[in-house]
Amino acid sequence: MKTLKYLSLAAMCLIMSAFVQVNKPVLYIIGDSTVKNGDGKGTTGQWGWGTLIGSFFDTAKIDVQNHAIGGRSSRTFLTEGRWERILADLKPGDYVIMQFGHNDAGPLDDTSRARGTIRGIGEESKEIYNPIRKQQEVVHTYGWYMRKYVAEAKAKGAIAIICSPVPRDNWNGDKAKRGNADYGMWAHQTADTTGAFFIDLNNIIADKYDVLGKEKVAPLFKGDHTHTGKEGAELNAASVVEGLKQIPGCTLNSYLR
């Protein structure tokens, strides 16, 4: 009888463990190639920070899923149905970290990507013929798309966190060029107006670049002035965590190692 009792307890523990594993919260990461580059395995030598950030979290308690994909803007991540697939699984207590902006400045209706958004955070829109999707499309502002992600995440009971875009290897004299007059500012404004948490990733990283200087920053990039190698992605991932720790009351911090 005693053996049977122990076996029953062990079985119950296994069931409870499986339940906890299935129902643990998920951190969804969405963004562009600076967040996940290619297959996410560094095949080209380029890495995104979302690929490496999982090591900062206790993945026994939270699942980290990097859904970012290269070449996408706040608009095309949505229109391609990628956000819809995440929404289908999103549940109360989950988290969404989003970082867009690098590709939003492109044309609205070019025959190559057609991925641009209207500059700013207003409600203006423009109807265009999308030559990639071969249909009419109403294009909105960067802020409109970002607000949509936040609103729909919150409606599912998830916690939304907006990051300003990581800086490129661009300089004004001996200072790293920042996005405080465009996408960095608009990301911050969107977080303020929606009540989302905000990580000022652009300035956190740019401050580090200023200290390192041009010569030491250059090797952090691979192939161009936008995409980081592994060391640069590690710096960026650590900067995201640094930004998280600066947010009072952000429960995602409880899952950090």
Side-chain angles (χ1 to χ4, degrees), residues 52-246:
L52 302 172
I53 201 169
S55 63
F56 290 89
F57 289 91
D58 183 350
T59 51
K61 296 179 180 178
I62 189 168
D63 187 20
V64 180
Q65 297 185 16
N66 185 8
H67 290 263
I69 182 167
R72 273 57 181 188
S73 65
S74 63
R75 165 190 166 194
T76 55
F77 192 90
L78 180 71
T79 57
E80 290 178 1
R82 299 177 186 279
W83 175 238
E84 186 178 5
R85 291 193 288 273
I86 292 171
L87 269 182
D89 295 328
L90 202 61
K91 63 185 185 298
D94 285 343
Y95 300 84
V96 180
I97 289 184
M98 60 193 81
Q99 185 220 278
F100 290 104
H102 282 294
N103 299 318
D104 282 71
L108 304 187
D109 57 356
D110 65 305
T111 57
S112 174
R113 303 276 184 122
R115 62 186 181 183
T117 57
I118 299 171
R119 292 172 63 83
I121 60 171
E123 293 295 338
E124 58 267 38
S125 62
K126 182 178 181 180
E127 183 172 348
I128 57 109
Y129 174 75
N130 188 319
I132 307 299
R133 301 173 66 204
K134 300 187 185 307
Q135 64 184 58
Q136 295 296 119
E137 179 184 353
V138 177
V139 179
H140 302 274
T141 65
Y142 168 78
W144 186 94
Y145 292 103
M146 298 297 280
R147 286 194 295 274
K148 184 174 177 65
Y149 292 126
V150 172
E152 292 182 350
K154 284 187 168 188
K156 285 280 192 155
I159 293 90
I161 304 166
I162 296 177
C163 294
S164 53
V166 296
R168 292 180 166 95
D169 185 19
N170 286 342
W171 298 78
N172 287 324
D174 60 353
K175 298 291 183 182
K177 189 174 181 180
R178 298 160 192 258
N180 294 331
D182 44 52
Y183 294 98
M185 176 180 68
W186 298 330
H188 197 171
Q189 290 172 336
T190 302
D192 285 346
T193 57
T194 59
F197 289 124
F198 178 66
I199 297 175
D200 195 0
L201 193 55
N202 188 267
N203 280 305
I204 291 172
I205 297 171
D207 286 345
K208 295 178 180 180
Y209 286 177
D210 288 350
V211 173
L212 289 170
K214 290 182 184 179
E215 290 186 4
K216 291 184 179 179
V217 168
L220 299 178
F221 288 80
K222 180 73 175 180
D224 56 38
H225 68 303
T226 299
H227 300 100
T228 51
K230 192 170 186 180
E231 187 180 354
E234 288 170 344
L235 183 149
N236 291 350
S239 298
V240 174
V241 173
E242 180 182 326
L244 274 175
K245 290 179 177 178
Q246 294 172 6

Side-chain angles (χ1 to χ4, degrees), residues 9-32:
L9 285 171
M12 188 177 295
C13 287
L14 284 171
I15 291 169
M16 290 300 292
S17 175
F19 179 82
V20 169
Q21 288 296 314
V22 169
N23 288 277
K24 66 182 178 180
V26 179
L27 168 59
Y28 293 94
I29 306 170
I30 63 175
D32 53 37

